Amino acid sequence: MNVLITAASRRVPLVQAFNNALVSLGVPGRVVVTDVNPLSPAVQVADRAYRVPLAHDPEYLAELLKICESERIGLAVPTIDDEAELFGAARERFAELGTLAACSSQSTAALCNDKYATWRHLAAAGIPAARTYLPKDLASKPPFPLFIKPRIGRGPVGAHRIRNKRELDFFVRYVDKPVIQEYLESPEYTIDVLCDLNGRPLHIVPRERVVIRAGVMDRGRTVKWPALIELAEQVCRAIPFAGPFNIQCRLREGWPAIFEINPRFSGGIPLTIAAGADFPKLLIKMAMGVDVPAAIGDFKEGTWMTSYETSFFLDETSLRLPVCEARPRMGEVA
């Protein structure tokens, strides 16, 4: 059971979690990663690594399929929003190679990647979500503060708090194709969810993001607040998911309201795994055809994560860098 993790970058804990899951299950296999840079930290801990083009390159999918075939990959795990729709559209092509693509459908990925479409869908289903507007639909005298971000984008890039009309006028022009949301000033929560291939939720793990650095949780803790678990169950009924996804929300009048849904592993997934919800192990079982029972709420509340930076120190002469060619193509880098 070989596992492929794409765009591995800094996801060292995720690579290690899949390695640990293989060992725990007693299943022989290795973890293979892809990246555009041989110096990426996850490349240093994977069993094998490949250089691939960026996700928007026309050859990207073909290169991944080559790797799945040559490495006999049983489970492929996409990690970034940029490739979610591409993976969703190619699930059958991966399956033809014996690879389970741990991702939702193309339509689900497209819905979640479009923050305005996400809000409209949630609102139509009666699910509490941060009110979201296109600039042309915003009232002439909106209530401040507000929050602006790209309609389609990932991470904190282009996201800004808006305190007044002057800032609004500036950022509407500054941010590419923006949406504007009501500003929810309260503790922030992420809900990690794992669904089976039929959209049935297997695990739902809420956690409070206590300290956030550059859009990633630096310190946080798991919580068993029924309102958050019920909110995730509502989302699963309204949108068909498969594999991992995460919901981001804040409180409005004391109750959670969603401001974003990401159809992929969250950056804080190591905390969820440490609390007893081993998503990598369950995905490997799913790829092996094992029936995985639901275990909603089966995790340890009050598990904290506090993170720090660490580094790899490498000898430049020993790095096997890919050959520079006119057109990017696959090349083994580790």
Side-chain angles (χ1 to χ4, degrees):
M1 174 54 64
N2 296 329
V3 178
L4 175 67
I5 300 176
T6 65
S9 188
R10 295 167 57 88
R11 296 172 179 83
V12 171
L14 187 62
V15 173
Q16 294 172 329
F18 273 99
N19 261 320
N20 293 340
L22 289 168
V23 172
S24 175
L25 290 168
V27 176
R30 58 180 175 267
V31 179
V32 181
V33 304
T34 65
D35 209 280
V36 297
N37 192 327
L39 289 171
S40 291
V43 167
Q44 316 311 319
V45 297
D47 295 308
R48 189 165 294 174
Y50 286 89
R51 178 175 64 91
V52 293
L54 293 170
H56 55 72
D57 189 288
E59 298 297 319
Y60 182 69
L61 178 61
E63 301 293 358
L64 294 184
L65 292 170
K66 286 180 190 177
I67 295 170
C68 286
E69 184 174 19
S70 65
E71 292 287 348
R72 302 173 71 180
I73 298 296
L75 174 66
V77 182
T79 67
I80 57 174
D81 299 331
D82 302 27
E83 62 185 355
E85 291 185 50
L86 188 68
F87 255 85
R91 290 190 298 181
E92 291 185 3
R93 296 180 65 181
F94 282 101
E96 290 170 359
L97 299 174
T99 304
L100 171 64
C103 64
S104 297
S105 67
Q106 182 183 20
S107 59
T108 291
L111 175 66
C112 294
N113 284 343
D114 185 332
K115 297 173 181 62
Y116 183 66
T118 301
W119 173 74
R120 286 176 59 89
H121 191 90
L122 294 175
I127 298 174
R131 288 181 288 273
T132 303
Y133 308 91
L134 298 178
K136 65 181 181 63
D137 298 327
L138 197 64
S140 58
K141 294 183 178 180
F144 293 102
L146 295 168
F147 201 77
I148 191 168
K149 59 178 129 177
R151 178 172 177 172
I152 297 174
R154 61 186 174 98
V157 177
H160 305 276
R161 183 184 179 185
I162 305 296
R163 297 171 295 179
N164 51 53
K165 182 69 163 54
R166 179 184 175 188
E167 292 183 348
L168 176 62
D169 292 341
F170 170 79
F171 281 111
V172 162
R173 295 190 301 270
Y174 178 77
V175 177
D176 184 40
K177 298 177 182 177
V179 292
I180 301 163
Q181 291 183 328
E182 64 172 312
Y183 187 80
L184 303 176
E185 191 165 7
S186 67
E188 183 176 333
Y189 297 89
T190 292
I191 311 171
D192 286 321
V193 185
L194 180 67
C195 289
D196 66 15
L197 301 183
N198 297 315
R200 178 176 61 114
L202 303 175
H203 263 293
I204 298 174
V205 182
R207 46 187 175 78
E208 182 182 0
R209 305 179 82 198
V210 179
V211 177
I212 302 170
R213 296 178 189 271
V216 178
M217 184 180 71
D218 186 75
R219 297 172 192 170
R221 65 186 180 102
T222 54
V223 295
K224 281 191 180 180
W225 187 13
L228 292 170
I229 294 175
E230 291 168 8
L231 181 64
E233 291 174 330
Q234 285 182 277
V235 170
C236 290
R237 289 192 291 268
I239 304 173
F241 286 96
F245 75 98
N246 67 87
I247 302 166
Q248 291 184 273
C249 54
R250 289 181 181 267
L251 305 186
R252 182 172 59 202
E253 298 178 355
W255 293 95
I258 297 168
F259 64 85
E260 200 161 304
I261 300 177
N262 304 297
R264 53 165 171 76
F265 273 119
S266 66
I269 192 64
L271 174 54
T272 287
I273 297 170
D278 196 335
F279 286 20
K281 182 184 291 187
L282 297 178
L283 282 171
I284 290 171
K285 286 185 174 182
M286 289 166 59
M288 295 170 62
V290 176
D291 183 49
V292 176
I296 307 299
D298 186 11
F299 65 93
K300 185 178 179 182
E301 183 177 26
T303 302
W304 278 83
M305 180 172 79
T306 178
S307 302
Y308 68 100
E309 292 287 342
T310 189
S311 303
F312 289 101
F313 300 95
L314 310 170
D315 182 353
E316 184 175 355
T317 61
S318 68
L319 286 175
R320 286 180 286 164
L321 296 172
V323 176
C324 182
E325 299 180 354
R327 183 179 67 82
R329 62 189 294 271
M330 182 175 67
E332 190 174 341
V333 298

